[in-house]
Amino acid sequence: MSALSVRVWRGTESGGFQEFSVPRLESQTVLDVVTYIQRALDPTLSYRFACRVGMCGSCAMTVNGRARWTCRTHVSRVAADGRLEIAPLANLPVVKDLVTDMTVFFDKWARARGRFEGGATRRDDFARVEPGSRRRQAADAGIECIGCGVCYSSCDVVAWNPDYLGPAALNRAWTLVNDARDTGNRARLAAVAGDAGCHACHTHMSCTERCPKQISPTAAIAGLKRATALAALRGELGDAVTK
Ligand code: SF4
Ligand code: SF4
Ligand code: FES
């Protein structure tokens, strides 16, 4: 049986890579490698996962320099030469080893007003949204985001400007802007129009290239740029409530 040479980040913001030798197995994922290290070689290694089938997004890490879901990344795809370097997601504080603190990521969803704000009461009929309508299709394009942070970790603008809301929060905002039932768009567009909002995006596309759900935050952000420009022309941004 051949062996993989695996470098794993140990520590917090400061620390270093520790080298492990892991048996190479058929159909092995990067998450299998991390799990082997923790169970067989060093039980103090900290990492995060839940579903192991690409549903929860909690296993995202930086693998050979690129953010990925480790449970859906086969070793054969990323370590042809038998070498792996596994680090925590970039652009987020490190709690320990491969675990990042996602607080700022989800705080930015809140800042972008990424929660549904309905106006209907229990006495109203169901909303009927035409499946083929332009807004419904735009909302559908981003709705499957599971908040894994891969796009956020891949974004250079977040690295340069830690205040930038980032691709996931902006994708969520655009999904809601296109939800015909939502009533919070005026404040939402004001929230994403500032210096740290959609206009800070440089359209590098890394978020779109790396999203494991094939979502395009870049397209969502382009939609927000158009919508905020229109809202500004109509004078609708200035008096919006941005709490
Ligand atoms: S847009 Fe994609 S990469 Fe970004 S958080 Fe959502 S699922 Fe993850
Ligand atoms: S397209 Fe915008 S949000 Fe996406 S990675 Fe590039 S700068 Fe970041
Ligand atoms: S463990 Fe849930 S997506 Fe990888």
Side-chain angles (χ1 to χ4, degrees), residues 228-237:
T228 50
L230 273 174
L233 283 174
R234 292 191 195 116
E236 292 173 356
L237 295 185

Side-chain angles (χ1 to χ4, degrees), residues 48-68:
R48 190 187 280 139
F49 75 96
C51 71
R52 302 187 72 160
V53 290
M55 288 180 71
C56 71
S58 65
C59 66
M61 300 171 204
T62 306
V63 181
N64 286 358
R66 188 173 170 145
R68 299 173 181 277

Side-chain angles (χ1 to χ4, degrees), residues 138-199:
D140 281 355
I143 196 74
E144 297 291 339
C145 171
I146 59 172
C148 67
V150 163
C151 56
Y152 185 87
S153 165
S154 305
C155 176
D156 285 342
V157 176
V158 175
W160 300 328
N161 176 8
D163 210 30
Y164 174 46
L165 290 171
L170 292 170
N171 175 72
R172 174 69 182 154
W174 179 238
T175 302
L176 289 168
V177 163
N178 285 290
D179 189 325
R181 305 160 305 162
D182 190 281
T183 58
N185 275 344
R186 198 160 166 145
R188 186 172 295 116
L189 288 176
V192 301
D195 287 349
C198 58
H199 298 286

Side-chain angles (χ1 to χ4, degrees), residues 151-152 154-158 160 164-168 170 198 200-209 216-219 221 225:
C151 56
Y152 185 87
S154 305
C155 176
D156 285 342
V157 176
V158 175
W160 300 328
Y164 174 46
L165 290 171
L170 292 170
C198 58
C201 169
H202 288 190
T203 322
H204 288 154
M205 300 284 290
S206 313
C207 55
T208 299
E209 284 163 13
S216 176
T218 318
I221 293 166
K225 286 179 178 175

Side-chain angles (χ1 to χ4, degrees), residues 12-132:
T12 54
E13 297 297 322
S14 60
F17 283 97
Q18 184 179 357
E19 192 122 3
F20 295 95
S21 178
V22 175
R24 181 77 176 89
L25 302 172
E26 219 177 309
S27 303
Q28 191 176 25
T29 65
V30 174
L31 184 61
D32 292 335
V33 170
V34 176
T35 301
Y36 177 88
I37 294 171
Q38 202 253 8
R39 293 194 181 161
L41 305 178
D42 186 346
T44 68
L45 176 67
S46 299
Y47 68 111
R48 190 187 280 139
F49 75 96
C51 71
R52 302 187 72 160
V53 290
M55 288 180 71
C56 71
S58 65
C59 66
M61 300 171 204
T62 306
V63 181
N64 286 358
R66 188 173 170 145
R68 299 173 181 277
W69 290 350
T70 53
C71 75
R72 301 292 286 175
T73 302
H74 280 262
V75 169
S76 53
R77 261 177 54 208
V78 290
D81 62 353
R83 290 179 177 278
L84 276 177
E85 187 177 274
I86 307 171
L89 284 180
N91 296 340
L92 290 163
V94 181
V95 177
K96 181 175 175 289
D97 301 337
L98 302 172
V99 179
T100 51
D101 182 349
M102 303 287 285
T103 306
V104 69
F105 175 80
F106 288 111
D107 281 352
K108 287 179 178 180
W109 281 53
R111 267 174 54 201
R113 301 187 77 95
R115 66 180 186 278
F116 177 72
E117 294 177 47
T121 69
R122 66 178 63 189
R123 285 175 290 283
D124 292 321
D125 195 3
F126 291 110
R128 288 181 174 74
V129 182
E130 195 56 49

